[in-house]
Amino acid sequence: MAPEKTSGYRKNFSLIVTFIVLISVLFILSLFLAYNFSKKFIESEFVSEKVKVLEESIKPYNEFFQNKVPEISYYNGYLDSATASKFVDTIINAYPFVSKVVFYDSEIGNTPVRDGLNTGHFSFGPKKIYQFGDLVPLDSVKLFSRDDTKKFSRGDDFNALGIKLISYIESLDTTIVPSQEELFTNFSIIRSNKISYLNIPGFEDLKVYKQMLRQQLSPSPVYQQDMLSFHLDPYKIKIINTRPLLYQNIRIEPLTYDPLNTSADYVATEITLPGPFSDYKLYFISAKSFVARGILNYFMPIALVLLLFYGILVLVTVLIYRNLNINHKMFKLQYDFVNNLTHEFKTPVSVIKIAGNNIKSASVLTERELKLYGKILDEEADKLNGLMNKLLAFTQIENRAIQLNHDEINIVDFIESTIESHTLKHPDFVVTYEVTGFGTFITDPVLLGSLFDNLAENAYKYSRPEHKRLHIVARMIKGKVVFRFVDQGIGIPTPEINNIFKKFYRIQNQYNQNGSVGLGLAFCKELVNFMKGEISVKSKVNKGTEFKIVLPYNN
């Protein structure tokens, strides 16, 4: 096998490999950085997202405190036990964390009271006290009545809010209307697990309250005031886990809760509950393996984007290399074509030149010499003419610049004439044939002749001296004409089968060193396509090759 010629065309394979290695390193580095970023992001989210969980979980409490509690003032102090019971039922149904409500049906007067707070001429005391709640027994609803002779402790809630009320009235500037926020703050008190609220009187009533602190009014006024004390259960707060893929377990614990068994397999964080629940906290805990899954879930989309980008770069690189490789092969094919075509032209031209010089330099030529030189010039001119015709015909067929003729031929006569011309040219060439199923068919005899000539020439050229044989089979199969050209030549290697019909392609062997431009089989392929047929090949190295051509019967 001849060594491959160096064309000077560089494929830059090493540069392509270097680029792929570089982007692979960058891809791996990007994955590493993306994973570290995902890890830090999820760890930061584990600490910061607890605020959102808290906000979502205490939304019902905020609604209760800001909207529902102030509704007491709408009754202007005239709540009774029945109305208060219905009001409490709606609250307990809507807000499960309210466990019990104590209702103080109270009065503010200008004369001292036995069960209440007395400051100067100002008095504040309950007429009746009730408690409502799902767990309150029916016989325990009423806690106190002024008409009862038994003693009852008003409790810290009543005393604390009463003292706060008296202090506020003493410091009240009656020339300035107080804001709603100021009134709400001074008419309510927040303690651990408890909110106490007194309905807010009108500004004119507040002025009278201030007068009642300093003097006895005539007649002595009496004002109705309702006070409700809401007992809250923090464990009834519904926890809304807004990040279930981040927090495995969330629970409410006392502020002093500190787990004794702190395992390295878990991560935890906490946040204090607001207002009356300030003695408690939300406690977040997740297994490290659970957090790791969260990190992986966050990392995977980033990794997929990086992988897609990397894949696109590799694909572009491969396509560039493939294009360079194809260009290299095309360059080499054209390079070999020019070399071989030059040789094909050079040989007959040289022979013609030598013959012409001999004729020119000879003073006298015998008749035998004239015939010899004439034969040489005629044969070499035929070679040049045949090569030019093949190139021209290939170009015309490839560009569909000619028309397909439709003539009826006798297939036996056609094959025999082909055999005769090739055996005359090559006496050692043995060609046999068989025809089955038809005698004539319509085709283009010139193109079919070119097809037969090319395949016959290949069969002779690529066979060893002792195996220069060709068997042609022509059959009618399913309404189509099938030709088989079976030789006993050197065969075609399997990897080369898909390339033999390519233009300018030549198999590297001892038969192709000179005298081939790689157009023969490509020309046959174009001829068959132009004749609306199909061509295929089967071959075994050192056994032979079979070309199969299928053409329409009467086109």
Side-chain angles (χ1 to χ4, degrees), residues 428-430 458-470 487-492 509-511 540-544:
D428 57 337
F429 192 23
V430 178
N458 273 4
Y460 181 82
K461 180 178 179 181
Y462 296 105
S463 298
R464 295 182 179 88
E466 67 275 15
H467 294 291
K468 292 187 180 296
R469 296 183 180 88
L470 174 64
D487 64 40
Q488 299 178 12
I490 61 174
I492 302 170
N509 55 48
Q510 69 269 28
Y511 297 92
K540 289 185 179 180
V541 176
N542 297 323
K543 296 291 183 180

Side-chain angles (χ1 to χ4, degrees), residues 63-82:
E63 181 185 348
F64 161 75
F65 182 72
Q66 295 170 7
N67 300 326
K68 203 67 180 178
V69 172
E71 284 185 14
I72 300 169
S73 295
Y74 299 159
Y75 295 95
N76 295 317
Y78 290 98
L79 271 174
D80 56 20
S81 60

Side-chain angles (χ1 to χ4, degrees), residues 318-330:
V318 170
L319 291 176
I320 291 174
Y321 175 71
R322 178 175 173 273
N323 187 55
L324 290 173
N325 197 37
I326 291 173
N327 288 341
H328 170 75
K329 290 180 179 179
M330 290 301 298

Side-chain angles (χ1 to χ4, degrees), residues 215-345:
Q215 57 184 323
Q216 181 74 39
L217 302 179
S218 181
S220 295
V222 177
Y223 291 88
Q224 300 298 317
Q225 287 287 149
D226 294 323
M227 174 181 165
L228 280 81
S229 183
F230 300 91
H231 293 249
L232 310 177
D233 183 357
Y235 294 106
K236 295 292 183 66
I237 295 175
K238 184 179 180 181
I239 298 172
I240 308 298
N241 188 357
T242 58
R243 294 296 298 274
L245 298 179
L246 189 62
Y247 300 118
Q248 193 173 15
N249 181 265
I250 308 173
R251 59 181 184 265
I252 296 173
E253 298 288 354
L255 199 59
T256 56
Y257 172 77
D258 188 14
L260 296 177
N261 297 324
T262 54
S263 173
D265 295 331
Y266 293 88
V267 289
T269 187
E270 58 189 43
I271 187 170
T272 305
L273 290 168
F277 307 118
S278 58
D279 290 339
Y280 296 85
K281 62 186 177 184
L282 285 180
Y283 186 73
F284 303 78
I285 186 169
S286 298
K288 285 188 176 178
S289 59
F290 185 82
V291 177
R293 285 198 297 271
I295 294 171
L296 191 63
N297 289 336
Y298 187 83
F299 167 71
M300 285 306 296
I302 301 176
L304 289 175
V305 172
L306 291 174
L307 180 61
L308 178 63
F309 184 68
Y310 172 75
I312 291 173
L313 286 179
V314 171
L315 179 62
V316 170
T317 305
V318 170
L319 291 176
I320 291 174
Y321 175 71
R322 178 175 173 273
N323 187 55
L324 290 173
N325 197 37
I326 291 173
N327 288 341
H328 170 75
K329 290 180 179 179
M330 290 301 298
F331 182 86
K332 184 177 181 303
L333 288 174
Q334 292 178 18
Y335 178 81
D336 291 344
F337 169 73
V338 171
N339 280 344
N340 292 322
L341 190 64
T342 301
H343 178 81
E344 285 292 290
F345 275 104

Side-chain angles (χ1 to χ4, degrees), residues 167-181:
S167 298
Y168 174 68
I169 292 172
E170 284 181 340
S171 61
L172 179 65
D173 184 354
T174 57
T175 63
I176 301 174
V177 178
S179 64
Q180 287 300 315
E181 183 179 355

